């Protein structure tokens, strides 16, 4: 799954103001992360948004982990 998120997430300036979304939907990675952070289970998210699959949620998590991994703070 490490690089699979690249096949499932896209960024288009004309969709959701250029936020990363699940390809073929208007569901942002940040939406999925927010739902998970409030305690929603994968099953609950998929029930509410049947266009999503487990691999989409995992891709959102992998995307966020990758972003976190490449983020660096430079001390002044």
């Amino acid at each position: 799954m490490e690089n699979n998120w690249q096949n499932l997430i896209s960024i288009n300036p004309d969709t959701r103001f250029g936020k990363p979304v699940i390809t073929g939907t208007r569901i942002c990675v940040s939406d999925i992360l927010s739902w998970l952070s409030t305690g929603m289970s994968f099953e609950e998210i998929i029930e509410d948004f049947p266009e999503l699959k487990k691999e989409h949620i995992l891709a959102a998590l992998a995307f966020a982990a990758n972003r976190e991994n490449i983020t660096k703070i430079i001390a002044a």
Side-chain angles (χ1 to χ4, degrees):
M1 173 54 96
E2 187 173 318
N3 290 321
N4 194 36
W5 64 263
Q6 295 172 338
N7 300 321
L8 298 173
I9 294 174
S10 56
I11 300 173
N12 179 333
D14 296 326
T15 304
R16 296 289 304 262
F17 305 101
K19 293 181 179 181
V21 298
I22 302 301
T23 302
T25 75
R26 294 181 54 78
I27 299 173
C28 292
V29 167
S30 61
D31 295 334
I32 294 171
L33 297 174
S34 292
W35 299 328
L36 290 169
S37 74
T38 64
M40 284 182 78
S41 68
F42 283 29
E43 293 78 16
E44 290 170 322
I45 293 170
I46 292 166
E47 184 177 320
D48 287 351
F49 301 92
E51 63 270 38
L52 294 178
K53 296 180 172 47
K54 180 179 178 182
E55 54 264 25
H56 294 127
I57 299 169
L58 292 172
L61 289 169
F63 177 88
N66 183 66
R67 278 257 170 118
E68 178 62 23
N69 192 41
I70 63 174
T71 300
K72 294 181 175 123
I73 298 176
I74 299 172

